[in-house]
Amino acid sequence: MDRLKKGFFEAAGWLFYLSLLMVIALALPRTLFDPNSKDFLLLVGAVGLWRYSMGAMHFLRGVLFLYVVYPHYRRKARRLGASADPSHVYLMVTSFRIDALTTAMVYRSVIEEAIGCGFPTTVVCSIVERSDELLVKKLWAKYQPPEHVKLDFVRIAGTGKRDGLANGFRAISRHLPDDDAVVAVIDGDSVLEEGVVRNTVRYFKLFPRVGGLTTNEFCEVRGSYIMSEWHKLRFAQRHLNMCSMALSKRVLTMTGRMSMFRATVVTNPEFIDDVESDHLEHWRLGSFRFLTGDDKSSWYSLMRLGYDTFYVPDAAINTVEHPPEKSFIKASRKLMFRWYGNNLRQNSRALALGPRRLGWFTSVVLMDQRISMWTCLLGLTVALIASIKYSIAYLLIYLLWIGTTRLALTLLLTVTGHHIGPAYPLILYYNQIVGAMVKVYVFFRLDQQSWTRQPTKLTRDLASFQRWFNTWSSRSMTFSAASVFIATLLLVV
């Protein structure tokens, strides 16, 4: 009954969306374009050509990897047989301030996977609270794992996820793993699907240069309908982009929810230091440590150390998402601020590694991350200027174009195997505009960081003048950049 009810509401949603597009189309005048709008069309067309070319390239590369290249890799990996088995598997879970129900679901799945994979396995629990330790011990006693499955606790202070990861890596180092051992790093809200270990470990033998890989994600959201759809859309887009980058073995993040590494990587003191003490020397904001973004730090460290990265689309986890706010607008902005800040803090120094290390396509993608914050805002800004200066028809044309193209983009996501819903076109546009504004804001405030689950913020012992300078220089640069952007478009239109 619930499935039938959900299907009815989704059908009604799609019908409403299509009806809205028809109403906008009927409201347009017969003469859609004015001769005075030549520059407007040229400007939007040139930028649109770049943006849609990048999107089309990601889509084609993603489909090629998902349906042609990866199945070929999978067959090759299976032919390796037992020779691709790891000598030991470490399943390291980091958890802090996660509700008991979610924690129990996560550790239950980890223990079941440790038993079911059949390899010698050690479950490493990097925890802060005594209650988590008692819960894990109770589950362990219930399952009574066989001899080859061990349990190891690492108790840490609640000083952040980076410290928890570093202490867990050092604990694994004390086990003296050999070159064929692998380590899965699992977040405290990630539930493993059955077989995820066996589906991933063989690729380390198939690709000797791969230092880390990550997996597909689905989610269960403890929040509103729109929040749930927003997360599901993000994971569908993530899946396609990961497949695209995996074609070059340059996946751009080692997702903190569940990634797997060679044990020789996570026991490398350089890698541990990169994850624990990553920092940035900024020409204006000074030196500051990274509070969030351990997944980006681990990716950058792998690139710097000369490893490749990979994605396994048929190995999946389910994450339990707890929005930081009840309001969708507030929650999405907070999450965007954290995610985009992590991207931009790594962007410039990743580009500095050069195309020889990253490859040309990866370098172009990283460069596009820097300019997309402006190109995503260009269409709306020009449409508003043109509607004020010439006719409201330009805004209606723009809305019709956005509605149609976002519908097409949503339908293309069906190739990912992820669910799509009638709210996706609107959420795609929301992400484009609000996401771009958040990127512009955070680009000039890279030192501002905070966790969304924990009330933890980066504190810097700066002199009063330095604090004043950082604050006002960030505001001034944001205002100046936005002013130049708008003035240029006013001049062109």
Side-chain angles (χ1 to χ4, degrees), residues 142-162:
K142 176 184 176 182
Y143 279 95
Q144 296 182 343
E147 285 278 327
H148 65 273
V149 180
K150 308 293 183 184
L151 180 65
D152 189 10
F153 285 101
V154 181
R155 292 292 298 275
I156 61 169
T159 51
K161 185 181 176 182
R162 288 181 179 273

Side-chain angles (χ1 to χ4, degrees), residues 39-55:
D39 295 329
F40 162 70
L41 293 175
L42 179 63
L43 183 64
V44 174
V47 174
L49 182 64
W50 166 260
R51 289 186 52 225
Y52 286 108
S53 295
M54 287 296 296

Side-chain angles (χ1 to χ4, degrees), residues 174-207:
R174 291 192 286 271
H175 288 262
L176 302 177
D178 61 27
D179 292 346
D180 291 327
V182 297
V183 179
V185 179
I186 304 159
D187 210 353
D189 56 5
S190 301
V191 180
L192 306 186
E193 285 198 357
E194 183 180 355
V196 68
V197 171
R198 279 200 166 272
N199 287 340
T200 51
V201 293
R202 59 171 69 101
Y203 295 103
F204 288 108
K205 182 67 72 174
L206 183 65
F207 304 121

Side-chain angles (χ1 to χ4, degrees), residues 103-158:
T103 301
M105 289 169 59
V106 170
Y107 278 104
R108 189 179 294 115
S109 73
V110 170
I111 295 171
E112 288 175 353
E113 189 61 22
I115 297 170
C117 72
F119 306 126
T121 306
T122 301
V123 178
V124 180
C125 308
S126 183
I127 57 176
V128 176
E129 291 140 333
R130 173 71 174 170
S131 58
D132 286 344
E133 182 177 345
L134 294 175
L135 188 151
V136 174
K137 286 181 175 178
K138 186 175 180 180
L139 287 171
W140 196 263
K142 176 184 176 182
Y143 279 95
Q144 296 182 343
E147 285 278 327
H148 65 273
V149 180
K150 308 293 183 184
L151 180 65
D152 189 10
F153 285 101
V154 181
R155 292 292 298 275
I156 61 169

